[in-house]
Amino acid sequence: MTTGGCAEVGFPIQRGGADLHSHTTASDGMELPRDNVRLAHRAGLEALAVTDHDTVAGIAEAMAEANKLGIHLVPGVEISTVEAGVDIHVLGYYVNDRDPVLLERLSGLRRTRDRRNVMMTDKLTELGIPITMEEVVAELGRPLADGETVGRPHIADALVRRGVVQDMREAFDKYLGASGAAYVNPPRIRPHEAADWIRDAGGAVVLAHPVLYGSDELVERIVYEMKPDGIEVWHSDHDEQDVQRYAALAQRFNCIMTAGSDFHGARQGKVFHGQLGSRRVSMDTVNELYQIAERRRLT
Ligand code: AMP
Ligand code: ZN
Ligand code: FE
Ligand code: FE
């Protein structure tokens, strides 16, 4: 079956269920891991995935809170990769957050990320906007814990604070986005390598928010090569047509269809990318991902 049945692919569910994509202060989210879990509980979610960029540093705290509140925490990670010069994000679910090999691999990605951040602030300084990563980190207002990552949204916050730009959008359009004047993208691993890392750590692999890669031809090539278990069909940046297209793609490649808000909390009063719980899948989908991961752990 190719596109048949996709006409009926609507918003999956509106209450209960799982939001499979959220960020915390372990990366560029604004809420502590335990607070994401509290918000999920309040939103009536049965399950929440914490998927911070290149780190599992928020998982233990989120898990402890989820156990207290009786909601299911899906331990996750969102790995930064590059294909054809485009940033591609690969989600891993049910990875073992204590797997030494995974931890070492993620730590390598964080070193690349730290170098990239300094290259960006150096470029900003050259552009007449003097700013250092030490300042960006100091402005977090809390010490950075082991394994926590800093990213472009934090640099954007610093630009807003200095009055260089009005808001996040202007910060990314003018400076930090792919066409921005201070954008740098150092070599990183490719999507299929991230998929292998996730499988090695006993996890299930999902391609995040395909619409953000700007080319469905590229998306197809990536899916063909990395063979993910799922595709994030519902995402805060996907409109109804994107959902239809990526649902068709998921069916064609026999992938599970997942949903995630990509909640990052609020910056300057605006929630990025969507409110927690605004994209949900049923617990059956969560269970499918769990089964895939469990089979991988046993082999
Ligand atoms: P990084 O991982 O440091 O490269 O930063 C990537 C993050 O930047 C993404 O997870 C988004 O949350 C955020 N981001 C990217 N583009 C935009 C945008 N145009 N507006 C707001 N946030 C963005
Ligand atoms: Zn982010
Ligand atoms: Fe992402
Ligand atoms: Fe994300």
Side-chain angles (χ1 to χ4, degrees):
M1 196 160 102
T2 50
T3 55
C6 287
E8 300 96 61
V9 175
F11 197 63
I13 56 170
Q14 317 226 1
R15 56 182 73 204
D19 181 339
L20 289 174
H21 194 155
S22 78
H23 295 268
T24 75
T25 49
S27 64
D28 55 5
M30 299 300 285
E31 306 288 340
L32 293 168
R34 60 170 165 277
D35 289 329
N36 264 30
V37 173
R38 284 180 193 154
L39 288 168
H41 186 248
R42 222 179 293 155
L45 285 162
E46 293 163 89
L48 172 73
V50 164
T51 51
D52 278 304
H53 298 288
D54 303 329
T55 187
V56 288
I59 299 300
E61 178 184 314
M63 187 68 82
E65 189 66 20
N67 289 341
K68 252 193 257 169
L69 295 177
I71 94 167
H72 178 71
L73 194 278
V74 180
V77 64
E78 183 173 24
I79 298 184
S80 314
T81 75
V82 173
E83 185 73 32
V86 181
D87 275 301
I88 309 291
H89 288 176
V90 182
L91 293 159
Y93 295 117
Y94 294 109
V95 286
N96 176 1
D97 68 324
R98 289 185 212 144
D99 182 309
V101 174
L102 177 69
L103 292 177
E104 185 45 45
R105 286 169 162 175
L106 293 178
S107 157
L109 295 185
R110 293 195 294 270
R111 285 193 290 274
T112 305
R113 166 181 285 279
D114 288 344
R115 273 205 312 277
R116 189 272 325 243
N117 288 345
V118 170
M119 285 157 89
M120 289 186 106
T121 49
D122 284 352
K123 264 199 159 180
L124 285 166
T125 303
E126 279 169 34
L127 292 166
I129 306 155
I131 188 165
T132 65
M133 280 315 293
E134 285 74 24
E135 288 163 3
V136 172
V137 171
E139 287 166 26
L140 295 178
R142 58 183 170 84
L144 208 56
D146 200 28
E148 290 188 341
T149 67
V150 176
R152 283 182 286 166
H154 297 117
I155 303 174
D157 283 337
L159 294 178
V160 173
R161 209 172 287 119
R162 281 160 180 67
V164 174
V165 293
Q166 293 287 310
D167 54 21
M168 286 283 128
R169 192 195 168 128
E170 194 186 344
F172 277 90
D173 286 354
K174 276 199 182 151
Y175 298 107
L176 306 173
S179 330
Y183 182 69
V184 189
N185 203 350
R188 297 195 202 235
I189 59 166
R190 295 179 55 208
H192 71 90
E193 295 175 78
D196 287 341
W197 291 9
I198 291 163
R199 287 187 278 254
D200 287 348
V205 179
V206 171
L207 179 66
H209 45 57
V211 82
L212 296 184
Y213 311 140
S215 153
D216 282 354
E217 204 186 308
L218 176 64
V219 169
E220 271 198 41
R221 188 148 57 75
I222 291 166
V223 170
Y224 181 78
E225 196 173 0
M226 77 187 258
K227 305 206 167 17
D229 302 298
I231 295 175
E232 193 173 48
V233 168
W234 293 274
H235 179 271
S236 300
D237 297 330
H238 286 188
D239 66 21
E240 205 36 59
Q241 284 175 351
D242 300 327
V243 168
Q244 302 278 338
R245 261 192 351 276
Y246 297 124
L249 187 70
Q251 286 187 340
R252 193 140 65 81
F253 285 91
N254 203 15
C255 288
I256 295 170
M257 295 190 262
T258 73
S261 64
D262 210 351
F263 177 72
H264 281 69
R267 287 187 150 86
Q268 296 96 43
K270 191 164 182 277
V271 171
F272 290 95
H273 290 253
Q275 190 51 259
L276 202 70
S278 62
R279 300 292 182 279
R280 306 178 182 219
V281 283
S282 74
M283 292 305 285
D284 289 344
T285 300
V286 178
N287 199 36
E288 275 185 79
L289 293 169
Y290 181 81
Q291 300 294 337
I292 287 168
E294 184 164 75
R295 277 201 298 277
R296 240 159 237 163
R297 276 196 298 276
L298 296 175
T299 51

